[in-house]
Amino acid sequence: AKSKIFLERSLEYDPQREDSYLYFAKIFKHDDNQEEEEINLNNALLINPSNDEALYMLVILKIKQSDYETAKELIDKFALVCKSYCSKKKEIEDKLKKFTTENAKDKN
């Protein structure tokens, strides 16, 4: 709760702080509030479309939501901009493959 208050204040002073939106997304992920997590990840990406951590988190969220088409598009974008999270590319590709394979089996 205290973290949210400090982050809200930081955004009041500087609404272009991508890291504040990213931290908000992490708080909402912890609270299992996917809607707010996604809003904050998208806000961080509006400010900096090359934020590889936000892209990574959004890919994981989209896979969790079974939005595989968007996840695939985001993985492609992630591959182009990754810096510190490049090692996670194989992980998210494997997760997407696993979930799409399981989803195909469930439909049969």
Side-chain angles (χ1 to χ4, degrees):
K2 287 183 182 181
S3 297
K4 286 181 184 178
I5 292 169
F6 289 123
L7 288 170
E8 287 169 353
R9 287 184 186 159
S10 75
L11 288 171
E12 286 175 14
Y13 293 112
D14 183 5
Q16 295 297 312
R17 287 190 58 127
E18 70 184 276
D19 59 332
S20 293
Y21 290 110
L22 188 59
Y23 291 129
F24 258 129
K26 290 177 181 183
I27 289 170
F28 288 118
K29 179 180 179 167
H30 180 268
D31 293 344
D32 200 28
N33 184 337
Q34 292 181 7
E35 184 178 336
E36 289 296 324
E37 178 186 359
E38 185 171 354
I39 288 168
N40 283 281
L41 289 171
N42 284 324
N43 285 338
L45 290 167
L46 279 173
I47 295 166
N48 179 5
S50 297
N51 185 319
D52 59 342
E53 185 175 9
L55 277 169
Y56 169 76
M57 289 178 64
L58 191 55
V59 168
I60 297 299
L61 179 61
K62 289 299 177 182
I63 292 171
K64 191 175 183 179
Q65 295 172 338
S66 301
D67 186 352
Y68 306 123
E69 188 64 34
T70 302
K72 174 70 173 114
E73 292 170 11
L74 291 168
I75 289 170
D76 293 342
K77 184 176 181 179
F78 178 83
L80 296 173
V81 301
C82 73
K83 295 176 190 136
S84 57
Y85 273 75
C86 286
S87 62
K88 301 282 189 180
K89 183 177 183 290
K90 174 120 174 74
E91 173 191 331
I92 56 179
E93 288 174 333
D94 289 346
K95 281 185 184 207
L96 178 62
K97 186 176 182 178
K98 176 185 172 195
F99 281 100
T100 54
T101 303
E102 288 175 3
N103 192 35
K105 287 179 185 176
D106 290 342
K107 288 183 179 180
N108 291 333

